[in-house]
Amino acid sequence: MKIICFSKRNFEKYCSEHGFNDANPPKDFAVISICCNPEVANRVLGDGDPHFFSEDHENVLNVEFDDITVDVDYFDMRDDGDHSEPVTAQGITNDTAEKIVRFIESHKDMDIMVHCRAGKSRSQAVTRYVLDFYPDHDET
């Protein structure tokens, strides 16, 4: 197993260069796509933080959680001055962690690509898990 960790931008560039899309997902490797929870993505980041593959495929897992260790309320900082509705940034849940572990286990015979927005925290945590629990791997 080879594991490759990307930032979202570099992952999307790689997929575009190789002609991958929802009609043509990769077949030779598994993908774990980590994006922010939709509420944070829309109201705090402002870009929706969409997954490159808009749906899960046999070897594509899309999950959403924020780059935090405990849930945190942020107040909306829109220009219209309405700061009354907080948005909650949400860390990974046990269910999501178990989903990722099951996905890795069912694809351990494939190379795995994992990405998050920056490629530094969430995707690195998944990469670290693979490095620690699957001894037959190469890291890129």
Side-chain angles (χ1 to χ4, degrees):
M1 171 193 309
K2 182 178 185 181
I3 183 157
I4 303 168
C5 186
F6 285 98
S7 68
K8 184 177 181 184
R9 180 183 309 169
N10 288 340
F11 174 76
E12 290 176 349
K13 180 180 176 188
Y14 178 90
C15 287
S16 294
E17 288 172 351
H18 289 83
F20 297 130
N21 55 44
D22 275 309
N24 181 38
K27 307 232 184 304
D28 297 336
F29 57 87
V31 173
I32 300 172
S33 174
I34 305 168
C35 290
C36 296
N37 88 64
E39 189 176 21
V40 168
N42 289 318
R43 291 182 51 204
V44 177
L45 299 175
D47 64 4
D49 195 29
H51 291 281
F52 182 83
F53 298 101
S54 62
E55 56 191 60
D56 287 345
H57 297 275
E58 181 181 335
N59 58 327
V60 175
L61 175 65
N62 292 327
V63 293
E64 294 87 24
F65 59 93
D66 300 307
D67 188 7
I68 57 173
T69 55
V70 294
D71 293 355
V72 177
D73 285 339
Y74 288 102
F75 283 89
D76 191 357
M77 299 304 199
R78 293 177 291 178
D79 290 336
D80 64 10
D82 181 5
H83 306 289
S84 60
E85 293 295 323
V87 57
T88 302
Q90 300 170 336
I92 190 170
T93 64
N94 287 338
D95 287 343
T96 299
E98 289 173 10
K99 191 177 195 181
I100 292 169
V101 169
R102 283 191 307 272
F103 182 82
I104 292 167
E105 186 61 30
S106 67
H107 294 88
K108 66 184 176 186
D109 59 334
M110 301 178 81
D111 292 341
I112 296 177
M113 292 186 169
V114 58
H115 84 81
C116 63
R117 192 167 182 100
K120 294 182 179 180
S121 298
R122 295 170 290 173
S123 59
Q124 287 292 333
V126 172
T127 299
R128 181 83 265 155
Y129 170 80
V130 173
L131 293 174
D132 288 349
F133 290 95
Y134 295 89
D136 298 326
H137 61 272
D138 294 321
E139 179 184 11
T140 302

